[in-house]
Amino acid sequence: MSPLRERKCDATLLLATWNIRDFDSNKFGYGPRRKESFYYIAEMISCFDLVAVQEINRDLRPWEKVMAILGREWDYIATDTTEGSGGNGERMVFVYNKEKVWFRKIAGEIVLPEGQQIVAKSKKKRTDEGDPDEVEEKQLQFARSPFLVAFQSGWFRFSLCTAHLYYGAASGPALERRIAEIQKLVEFFAERQDDASKQEKDRHGVVENYIILGDFNVVSPEHKTMAALKSNGFEVPDAIDGDKVRQLGDHFYDQIAVRVNDARFKVLGGGILHMYEDVFTDDDLALYADVIPAVDPEKDTAFKANTPEGIYRKWRTWQMSDHHPLWIEVATDYSDHYLSEIVGEPVPTP
């Protein structure tokens, strides 16, 4: 983690997304998070300046423990939980360092207007035995409402939208719904940004910048889920695109995509914080042998771990997460551009 901390400075924003697995209900039976885990989670978050966090449960008392460890220079903004089975009783949270980031007093959940909703197909029950299957179409909102907040860091003004999109299944109508959710989200912001006549512009005539980040359940860089994310003018920064920062076995669910019209915008780097290189390492199994479950509580036999090593690796994902923080570093000091405009000299190239 120390190389990442060394990147922190006044001229950049370290922006991250992190799905903290089922924080913190213990509804899957792997045992509550240990006291040390709250400190480790706070330590991970403090490596950055602004983090979009998914899978925070309705009860915010465990989250308040993390905030108390982070200290008074940190604050957060949380959603309500989305009702219904798809919502899963989860909140999404933006947690940020007030010394680097400030809230621009705009926040809201994304609700699709009529006619632009997600079309989901499902099989309708047969009325009589022998009748052919019928396909039923429904017009739906997002399973978990994406959450947008307007922030500023340094000179950079932007709206940040975090999402934890529908997963469903790996094929069929459920996968089509997942793709449709991603597609509708990027279309929503592309249309909003392109309709410049209704946008508030800054002194450079630049409309609002949009960054979407979170758990999009992207299957792979070549999959239709990624093609949907990269459509309508959205781009995944080159520093984290494809498998550049992924290790063997890492999934591609978590992503950051930008649609920024400001020519001064520049991504200086990015990566994934592989936390099990620092905490709950493979070599630490003996330290936790007396607290990990003797038998994997997993109900699905296809995913049940049968060795102490397998159970430990699974257990630690409920102490930290089965997702690793994904991050980018964004330049936020535009003072050279400002001074160049005043003196009438060419604006420096980013």
Side-chain angles (χ1 to χ4, degrees), residues 27-28 55 57-58 81-91 138 140-145 164-168 177 181:
K27 61 189 174 188
F28 294 98
E55 287 202 28
N57 278 281
R58 187 186 295 272
T81 54
T82 303
E83 295 300 322
S85 58
N88 204 30
E90 297 174 17
R91 301 178 187 270
K138 295 181 179 180
L140 302 175
Q141 292 291 334
F142 297 100
R144 290 172 283 253
S145 300
H164 186 190
L165 297 186
Y166 182 76
Y167 180 80
R177 179 178 171 184
E181 283 209 0

Side-chain angles (χ1 to χ4, degrees), residues 12-16 49-51 94 96 100-106 148-161 193 202 206-213 257-260 262 265 328 330-332 334:
T12 66
L13 169 71
L14 286 171
L15 172 65
D49 303 311
L50 169 57
V51 184
F94 285 118
Y96 59 99
K100 289 289 295 292
V101 179
W102 56 96
F103 171 42
R104 289 168 47 212
K105 312 300 183 186
I106 299 170
L148 176 138
V149 175
F151 288 109
Q152 182 165 345
S153 180
W155 296 67
F156 181 48
R157 294 161 54 92
F158 57 104
S159 283
L160 195 62
C161 178
Q193 190 181 57
D202 67 15
V206 176
V207 299
E208 188 70 5
N209 300 306
Y210 290 103
I211 301 176
I212 57 177
L213 75 176
V258 304
R259 201 178 197 268
V260 177
D262 192 335
F265 177 75
I328 58 173
V330 178
T332 58
Y334 300 160

Side-chain angles (χ1 to χ4, degrees), residues 319-331:
Q319 293 298 315
M320 299 297 292
S321 181
D322 54 342
H323 296 245
H324 299 284
L326 174 71
W327 61 273
I328 58 173
E329 182 181 18
V330 178

Side-chain angles (χ1 to χ4, degrees), residues 1-9 12-18 39-51 66 69-70 73-74 95-97 100 271-275 278-279 320 325-329:
M1 289 183 286
S2 58
L4 186 54
R5 286 192 172 279
E6 290 169 3
R7 299 182 78 108
K8 299 191 84 169
C9 69
T12 66
L13 169 71
L14 286 171
L15 172 65
T17 180
W18 191 15
Y39 282 87
Y40 294 153
I41 288 168
E43 177 73 11
M44 299 291 171
I45 290 171
S46 70
C47 289
F48 308 102
D49 303 311
L50 169 57
V51 184
V66 174
I69 297 167
L70 284 169
E73 69 268 28
W74 287 83
V95 56
Y96 59 99
N97 188 324
K100 289 289 295 292
I272 287 181
L273 182 53
H274 288 93
M275 56 200 165
D278 297 298
V279 299
M320 299 297 292
L326 174 71
W327 61 273
I328 58 173
E329 182 181 18

